[in-house]
Amino acid sequence: MPGQRCGRELIPAFARTLEAKPHSPVYTMHKYFARRPWNVFNELISHYTVPGEIVLDPFCGGGVTIVESLKLRRRAIGVDVNPLATYVTEMECRPLDLDLFWGSFQQLATKTREKIDSLYSTKCASCGADAVADWFEWDEQTNHIIRLKYDCSICGSSNEKLPTKHDFAVTSKIDRNFSKIVGQNHLWFPKTRIPRGDKTDSLLNQEMNYFFELFTKRNLLALSILHKKISELSQGEAKDFLRFTFSSSLKWAGRQSHLRNRIVEGWALHAYWIYPKSLEINVWNTFERRAHAVARGKRYSNQHISASCRLGESWEDLTVGNASCLIWNRSSAKLPMPDESVDAVITDPPYGGNVNYTELSDYWFIWESEGTTIQKEEEIIVNRSRRKGLADYERELTLVLEECHRVLKPNRCLVSTFNSKDARVVASFVIAASRAGFSLHPDGLLYQNPIRAYTTTFHAMQVGAFVGDFILTFIKGKTARKVVSDPTVELDIIKGSVSRLVSEVIEGGVTEPGLREKAYRMLIPFLARNANANLGSCRKAVDFFEQQIGKHESYFRSLTKEMVAIRRRRFSQKEKEG
């Protein structure tokens, strides 16, 4: 039973499949990649800990474990090598006086809005008065505006229209005078070169060498004006959160924004990508919308965690002082904490090279760091550009999990979500946990469906995309295991089972992710049993499975293409009906 956390009794594994809920307001304040469902983590924390206990997340990312732990009155430690992750997590946790925030926002608006809006000047097609464009749609191939949406304060119209000579003239004037305006007004924007990387090479191959090229000159000028005016505000929490609002706005301010049917969408991929038709969205309007999003998030967090959130810096602050939360920007391979001091490790680790977090996070970080990119040496990842392969990923992950094993109390749990469209990556995680000293809980394997609203995203609809999560529960201590005396026999059994499964799946018209879900249920317990004594069998089992997948690659690609087309038709139909 939850709440009974003493002695050598085995804690029951969490066994309920939940309907994953969309992000609550605190998580929609600022983009972060691959956040997991908050209600799932809330239930995991409730199950494996009791109020007052300490929860560690060694890969805190977008802050879900930390926020949900504080909501449940646990003490929380969030660690991440990515400074964007710890920045976002800290801002999710910090309390905010919303009256102060809106007061400073109005002060900023008085000094800034009119100047920025003048950059988006247009004429109302209904009454001919001066109006302000909310967005321009660009044809990236011809580098021309093809339409725009505007708001008129005189007649109240809010319409789309084709660009006029006036619109082209305003844009041309900004482009011609950009450097002069920046110099005369002492404006700053990051002139950071784009470093080589698995995700940034797509930009370099298009001869884009600087991050500022991801913005139009109009939006870059508007961002520079807004950045300067925020920097001139008096120091304090309101200024801190207006800077956070600025950072949040960057998702929508670049050329990676686009129209998805009728929906205005900011940067939505786990990659740098400029659509053939991009959107240039009014920076002030974006900033104001994001201010409301931040206010909604802080209203939520003020209600749910402000009473329990007291940020500290050191372990002593958490245990001797009055702190309830530590957020550290560092590697989790060496933690400044004593042995056997944590009650649960609950995390969502990197999945091989599925998301290149630091390469993508540079887009935001350079605005906060005066143009410096993130140090990437300690990131645990598969990345060809950094010459980090799967063996490096497994070795570095093992070091972190060994540290988690050291600080975790005996008979307590390491709980992790995990998914990958490559069984070898899944194997590396299970092997790393096992070699770090953890044992897979006898009932510690559960598949959790994704947030339904996000299964229609571009990333989720890619061939072989694995959008749900396995929840794996490991124990610090020994668990009863079924022992097979001859590892060769068990390997032959698993190969036979995989072969039969593949045949059944193809006959039944199941997609590749569906096959992987079923196969991983077989493979993960096998990997956990054999990781220490029969590592060779583990490698052979996953290699065999991937070979079977490879034999039917064209079938799965065709089936996925058909299903993606069906999803898109349904989505388009819903938009038309709505």
Side-chain angles (χ1 to χ4, degrees), residues 140-271:
E140 287 287 339
Q141 186 172 3
T142 63
N143 196 33
H144 279 89
I145 299 170
I146 54 180
R147 61 172 163 162
L148 62 127
K149 181 181 178 295
Y150 68 91
D151 299 300
C152 178
S153 61
I154 303 301
C155 70
S157 63
S158 179
N159 295 313
E160 294 181 16
K161 69 170 188 173
L162 297 176
T164 64
K165 289 182 180 180
H166 172 86
D167 300 314
F168 291 127
V170 170
T171 303
S172 179
K173 184 178 179 181
I174 292 170
D175 288 350
R176 287 196 315 271
N177 296 312
F178 176 81
S179 298
K180 181 181 178 181
I181 297 169
V182 168
Q184 288 178 341
N185 292 276
H186 306 289
L187 301 176
W188 176 88
F189 59 88
K191 302 173 181 65
T192 309
R193 276 191 170 273
I194 298 171
R196 288 216 158 270
D198 283 10
K199 294 302 178 184
T200 54
D201 277 356
S202 63
L203 300 175
L204 297 171
N205 292 339
Q206 299 173 59
E207 299 184 349
M208 296 181 67
N209 297 307
Y210 297 89
F211 281 105
F212 63 72
E213 294 176 89
L214 288 165
F215 304 91
T216 64
K217 286 188 176 179
R218 177 176 10 229
N219 272 19
L220 191 59
L221 188 58
L223 287 167
S224 301
I225 293 168
L226 184 56
H227 187 273
K228 181 181 180 183
K229 293 302 181 182
I230 294 172
S231 71
E232 293 171 352
L233 294 172
S234 300
Q235 295 294 331
E237 67 179 54
K239 178 179 180 178
D240 291 346
F241 277 93
L242 287 172
R243 289 176 61 185
F244 184 61
T245 303
F246 176 92
S247 183
S248 173
S249 302
L250 293 172
K251 169 186 172 177
W252 307 89
R255 291 165 60 198
Q256 297 177 93
S257 297
H258 66 287
L259 282 173
R260 181 160 61 99
N261 296 317
R262 306 294 298 175
I263 297 173
V264 174
E265 195 168 71
W267 183 13
L269 305 183
H270 294 171

Side-chain angles (χ1 to χ4, degrees), residues 263-307:
I263 297 173
V264 174
E265 195 168 71
W267 183 13
L269 305 183
H270 294 171
Y272 289 103
W273 178 260
I274 298 174
Y275 286 80
K277 293 180 180 179
S278 64
L279 278 192
E280 178 185 37
I281 307 175
N282 182 307
V283 163
W284 179 263
N285 289 357
T286 296
F287 182 75
E288 187 167 358
R289 285 189 282 259
R290 298 317 301 160
H292 283 284
V294 168
R296 285 192 297 271
K298 295 320 297 177
R299 193 173 297 112
Y300 179 93
S301 68
N302 284 350
Q303 177 184 353
H304 290 282
I305 69 173
S306 64

Side-chain angles (χ1 to χ4, degrees), residues 77-94:
I77 305 171
V79 190
D80 207 296
V81 296
N82 186 347
L84 181 68
T86 51
Y87 173 58
V88 170
T89 300
E90 179 180 335
M91 299 307 279
E92 289 170 346
C93 295
R94 281 179 58 178

Side-chain angles (χ1 to χ4, degrees), residues 379-381 388 392-400:
E379 184 178 21
I380 299 175
I381 197 167
K388 284 195 168 189
D392 300 294
Y393 168 79
E394 186 178 309
R395 175 178 52 80
E396 293 172 5
L397 188 59
T398 302
L399 293 175
V400 168

